[in-house]
Amino acid sequence: MALSFAVVASSSSIMCKAINANNHSHLQDLSYIKRAALISDKSAGFTSPHPNFGCVIVTPSVEVVGEGYLYAQGTKPAEVLAVEAAGERCRGATAYVNMEPGDCHGDDTAVSALVQAGITRAVIGMRHPLQHLRGNAIRALRSQGLQVDVLGEDMQSKLVEEARKACLLVNLPFVHRAASRVPFSVLKYAMTLDGKIAASSGHAAWISSKLSRNRVFELRGRSDAIIVGGNTVRRDNPRLTARHGGGHMPIRIVLSQSLDLPEEANLWDLSDVSTVVVTQRGARRSFQRYLASKGVEVVEFDILNPRDVMEYFHDRGYLSILWECGGTLAASAISSGVIHKVFAFVAPKIIGGKNAPSPVGELGMVEMSQALDLIDVCFEQIGPDMLISGFLQPIPDLTPTIPSEDETFAIDPTVAPFETSIIFFYKTWDLYGAFSNFSPHPIQMPDEDGNYVTWISVEHYYQANKFIGVSNPLARECIDKIKSAKSPEEAARMGRLTQRQQPHLVRSDWESVKIDVMYRALKCKFSIYPHLNSMLLSTAGSVLVEASPHDLFWGGGRDGGGLNYLGRLLMKLRSEFLGESSAASENTCIAL
Ligand SMILES: NC(=O)C1=CN([C@@H]2O[C@H](COP(=O)(O)OP(=O)(O)OC[C@H]3O[C@@H](n4cnc5c(N)ncnc54)[C@H](OP(=O)(O)O)[C@@H]3O)[C@@H](O)[C@H]2O)C=CC1
Ligand SMILES: Nc1c(N[C@@H]2O[C@H](COP(=O)(O)O)[C@@H](O)[C@H]2O)[nH]c(=O)[nH]c1=O
């Protein structure tokens, strides 16, 4: 089922009152909810794999007194930031949030912040897309006496639909994640007015203007990964970095069946960001080893088709992919149904050439009636160029519910549900996501001087420990940077990059102590948070597996071949805690 935003609500369904309890007009409500969506977008690229959240607090006298947006996974929720900014003026105010807060770590920080601050009404742009979180915060707020209006449910009109669309668009990759098994993919290309993406010689630098290419850097900065095909690597030697100043840097992915790739290429320079080469099983093993020696990750597939590759990256937690390939791979990706949106930069130039490549290769269509029509097409002039964008597939409709894994099995028995005795966890918004090292639960553990300090997450502590005890001022600098990293992702990036680029800064005993470091951090986390402790104990009898398809040490790996050390440590802790609690209850019995 797809959403149609052209639908105009019938007059009987227009339920909005002109003036609501807090004297906010309907139009004001919609403008503030759009504002919440707009500010939530400020951290595009950084929040991933979390959704973008924005919150605006408005007093009954219609004054904006607080705003906040989630900077990255594990940082302060938007609602907390907005409430902190508004202070006392929250009493009796309305909070506008683009998406229902997701209580994904066993606490209710966002909801409590609003309730405790004295907010009396919340307007919510859309329910949380993930089924296990959907409706929880709305119920909690209502049960605390707040009036909660959800766009499209408690408020309906054509204008409401527009505002709801703004909320959907700002989190489209996340909405896709909830509704399908592949990440949200955008195909971007630059072509001449006569429809060529390069001259007949293959030369393509440049078709679009500098202004357009700067726009591409922004698009890259909003994506989790950029994909090109082997031919584009051979022909263009691209860098594929986001060079718009300090933004998020997506990883680079190369799809190559033959692995006939150059030994020297900009993509093998990992100083800014990593590269993953995806290939056919058994292709040029010696070259695979060569790439691995440079730090490039190689992933093999039995058959290299875009859908399997996208499902794999979906499992790795990627939400959005930008395809910057040539027409050959673009055609294959469109045919596989994995491209959702197109960005075409059209430059007012003519290059001609019978054999000059075009943006999309063979799709097997023979009649114009078969052409794919874009939806919601936009035209934007950028310098001398025209940017035409539109959707190839409708935005998925998440109402009324997204089928759960079990429901999906009931609908389609070929979809195998997870075995009940195994609990998989990976991303922090998973049902058991609080088990992840990236979950936002600060711990108190010693620093390099042995003083107990607060570490924002287990990941911060783990990454910093790689460099503890090394007598080099750069190692200490690195620890400080990791300690103040804004999010666990940032801490992980810093730790891994330094380990790769400056291995001499890593403590010599790291390989032998890392499991113990993790164990101590986990023990602290699951000791100081009672709700996490209960969550862990509630899994007794189940095997815990970190479902990371690429981490073969801490995770379970793609085919279950990983060592799953994180799952093992959690099970070890669980049995220790269970032992303690049964010993405690035995003692109680004796005392009685
Ligand atoms: N103007 C623009 O926006 C752009 C222009 N270009 C230009 O396009 C030209 C290259 O175009 P093109 O040859 O189409 O390059 P592609 O980027 O589409 O690369 C094609 C290659 O992708 C690999 N591949 C892996 N899996 C598949 C699959 N399932 N289906 C198809 N290909 C797969 C193969 O690599 P392998 O052979 O290694 O096995 C194949 O040869 C260059 O001249 C470049 O400058 C490229 C990108 C953007
Ligand atoms: N020629 C062309 C594009 N080409 C795309 O950009 C890649 C080069 O990126 P980088 O090395 O990071 O600058 C190249 O491999 C291809 O994917 N893009 C555009 O916006 N406009 C253009 O005219």
Side-chain angles (χ1 to χ4, degrees):
M1 206 197 328
L3 269 192
S4 166
F5 286 100
V7 174
V8 181
S10 69
S11 54
S12 62
S13 69
I14 300 179
M15 301 195 300
C16 298
K17 296 182 201 106
I19 303 287
N20 65 40
N22 281 340
N23 273 348
H24 293 165
S25 76
H26 178 54
L27 288 179
Q28 275 165 357
D29 275 347
L30 298 183
S31 93
Y32 291 128
I33 202 83
K34 281 191 195 161
R35 169 87 194 143
L38 189 75
I39 61 171
S40 78
D41 192 52
K42 283 192 185 179
S43 53
F46 287 104
T47 28
S48 182
H50 258 289
N52 299 316
F53 285 105
C55 177
V56 177
I57 295 180
V58 182
T59 61
S61 57
V62 200
E63 196 187 339
V64 176
V65 285
E67 287 190 347
Y69 63 91
L70 180 75
Y71 168 77
Q73 166 170 277
T75 59
K76 269 191 193 173
E79 295 79 358
V80 175
L81 290 169
V83 159
E84 282 177 358
E88 269 308 299
R89 307 221 280 166
C90 286
R91 305 238 155 255
T94 297
Y96 295 86
V97 290
N98 59 308
M99 184 190 280
E100 175 183 18
D103 163 22
C104 54
H105 16 89
D107 58 22
D108 57 355
T109 320
V111 168
S112 323
L114 297 178
V115 173
Q116 280 163 20
I119 297 286
T120 50
R121 178 174 176 241
V123 179
I124 294 187
M126 58 183 286
R127 282 179 184 259
H128 201 288
L130 298 182
Q131 207 201 12
H132 65 279
L133 301 175
R134 208 172 157 82
N136 295 353
I138 293 173
R139 261 194 310 279
L141 287 169
R142 284 187 176 141
S143 74
Q144 295 288 330
L146 273 79
Q147 177 191 338
V148 181
D149 295 321
V150 183
L151 265 56
E153 297 176 22
D154 307 289
M155 301 166 72
Q156 294 175 4
S157 73
K158 190 180 173 192
L159 291 175
V160 166
E161 276 312 300
E162 269 173 29
R164 200 163 84 87
K165 185 176 179 184
C167 295
L168 259 174
L169 288 180
V170 92
N171 272 311
L172 200 48
F174 195 77
V175 170
H176 263 269
R177 163 137 202 132
S180 78
R181 286 177 177 269
V182 293
F184 177 67
S185 277
V186 173
L187 169 65
K188 164 258 144 187
Y189 53 82
M191 69 172 198
T192 60
L193 203 51
D194 54 335
K196 315 290 186 191
I197 57 163
S200 313
S201 65
H203 189 257
W206 299 105
I207 295 167
S208 57
S209 64
K210 196 157 188 326
L211 271 179
S212 296
R213 295 195 324 268
N214 284 344
R215 180 62 176 276
V216 171
F217 294 150
E218 273 175 39
L219 286 176
R220 288 178 182 174
R222 296 176 154 270
S223 313
D224 291 336
I226 316 282
I227 292 195
V228 289
N231 227 7
T232 298
V233 178
R234 288 188 286 271
R235 180 61 247 184
D236 293 356
N237 189 19
R239 281 188 280 168
L240 305 178
T241 44
R243 308 190 280 275
H244 61 302
H248 157 74
M249 200 64 104
I251 69 146
R252 289 106 31 121
I253 301 172
V254 177
L255 259 59
S256 169
Q257 282 139 337
S258 65
L259 216 60
D260 181 14
L261 300 171
E263 292 214 345
E264 295 306 321
N266 286 327
L267 292 180
W268 315 154
D269 172 2
L270 310 182
S271 22
D272 289 324
V273 66
S274 52
T275 300
V276 181
V277 172
V278 183
T279 190
Q280 200 106 343
R281 199 169 301 287
R284 291 190 71 200
R285 280 268 150 79
S286 59
F287 193 71
Q288 290 195 25
R289 282 194 292 277
Y290 169 75
L291 287 177
S293 73
K294 295 199 144 241
V296 175
E297 190 184 338
V298 181
V299 181
E300 292 181 305
F301 278 75
D302 290 333
I303 296 169
L304 196 55
N305 70 67
R307 180 154 286 273
D308 289 349
V309 174
M310 284 302 93
E311 284 181 4
Y312 168 73
F313 281 102
H314 173 273
D315 290 350
R316 264 177 88 147
Y318 291 81
L319 302 184
S320 58
I321 310 275
L322 186 65
W323 295 69
E324 291 204 55
C325 50
T328 316
L329 184 53
S332 175
I334 290 176
S335 306
S336 312
V338 298
I339 301 293
H340 303 101
K341 193 169 186 184
V342 175
F343 274 87
F345 290 87
V346 184
K349 295 177 183 173
I350 289 179
I351 184 77
K354 214 164 51 164
N355 298 321
S358 65
V360 182
E362 191 50 61
L363 288 178
M365 295 182 188
V366 288
E367 293 192 2
M368 203 37 86
S369 54
Q370 294 175 288
L372 305 169
D373 285 323
L374 296 194
I375 308 164
D376 267 354
V377 180
C378 288
F379 300 87
E380 187 187 337
Q381 189 173 344
I382 303 184
D385 306 326
M386 184 61 84
L387 168 59
I388 305 177
S389 61
F391 290 89
L392 261 187
Q393 300 179 27
I395 297 170
D397 186 0
L398 297 183
T399 45
T401 54
I402 305 153
S404 69
E405 202 73 43
D406 295 350
E407 285 166 333
T408 308
F409 179 62
I411 298 163
D412 176 4
T414 61
V415 180
F418 293 140
E419 282 180 48
T420 46
S421 59
I422 302 179
I423 290 177
F424 292 95
F425 64 93
Y426 185 30
K427 294 296 168 190
T428 57
W429 29 253
D430 288 339
L431 194 52
Y432 289 92
F435 293 171
S436 157
N437 297 341
F438 284 45
S439 87
H441 294 97
I443 53 170
Q444 296 283 326
M445 291 294 281
D447 64 5
E448 60 275 33
D449 301 319
N451 299 323
Y452 273 75
V453 296
T454 301
W455 299 85
I456 298 174
S457 69
V458 168
E459 190 65 17
H460 283 76
Y461 176 75
Y462 173 77
Q463 292 295 344
N465 258 271
K466 289 179 178 171
F467 312 101
I468 278 181
V470 177
S471 58
N472 182 328
L474 289 177
R476 203 175 177 104
E477 226 173 80
C478 178
I479 294 170
D480 287 341
K481 275 197 199 151
I482 292 174
K483 205 187 288 167
S484 52
K486 275 185 162 173
S487 68
E489 269 86 11
E490 218 166 283
R493 256 195 310 272
M494 285 174 185
R496 289 173 191 154
L497 198 69
T498 313
Q499 185 175 14
R500 200 166 57 226
Q501 288 180 345
Q502 294 163 277
H504 58 284
L505 297 184
V506 178
R507 58 198 272 185
S508 55
D509 61 349
W510 178 238
E511 283 310 313
S512 60
V513 299
K514 66 183 185 184
I515 294 180
D516 191 49
V517 168
M518 184 68 90
Y519 169 74
R520 282 184 283 113
L522 292 173
K523 187 163 183 169
C524 174
K525 171 175 162 183
F526 286 91
S527 302
I528 60 176
Y529 293 97
H531 62 282
L532 295 191
N533 191 287
S534 320
M535 190 189 240
L536 183 61
L537 297 191
S538 74
T539 64
S542 298
V543 176
L544 302 179
V545 177
E546 197 213 13
S548 165
H550 62 106
D551 189 333
L552 296 178
F553 184 79
W554 294 112
R558 186 168 139 213
D559 309 313
L563 295 169
N564 186 35
Y565 266 102
L566 187 55
R568 291 184 202 207
L569 286 183
L570 289 170
M571 289 186 277
K572 174 174 149 78
L573 268 175
R574 183 177 65 191
S575 81
E576 285 170 6
F577 286 134
L578 280 170
E580 277 170 23
S581 60
S582 62
S585 59
E586 268 170 31
N587 288 343
T588 320
C589 291
I590 294 163
L592 281 173

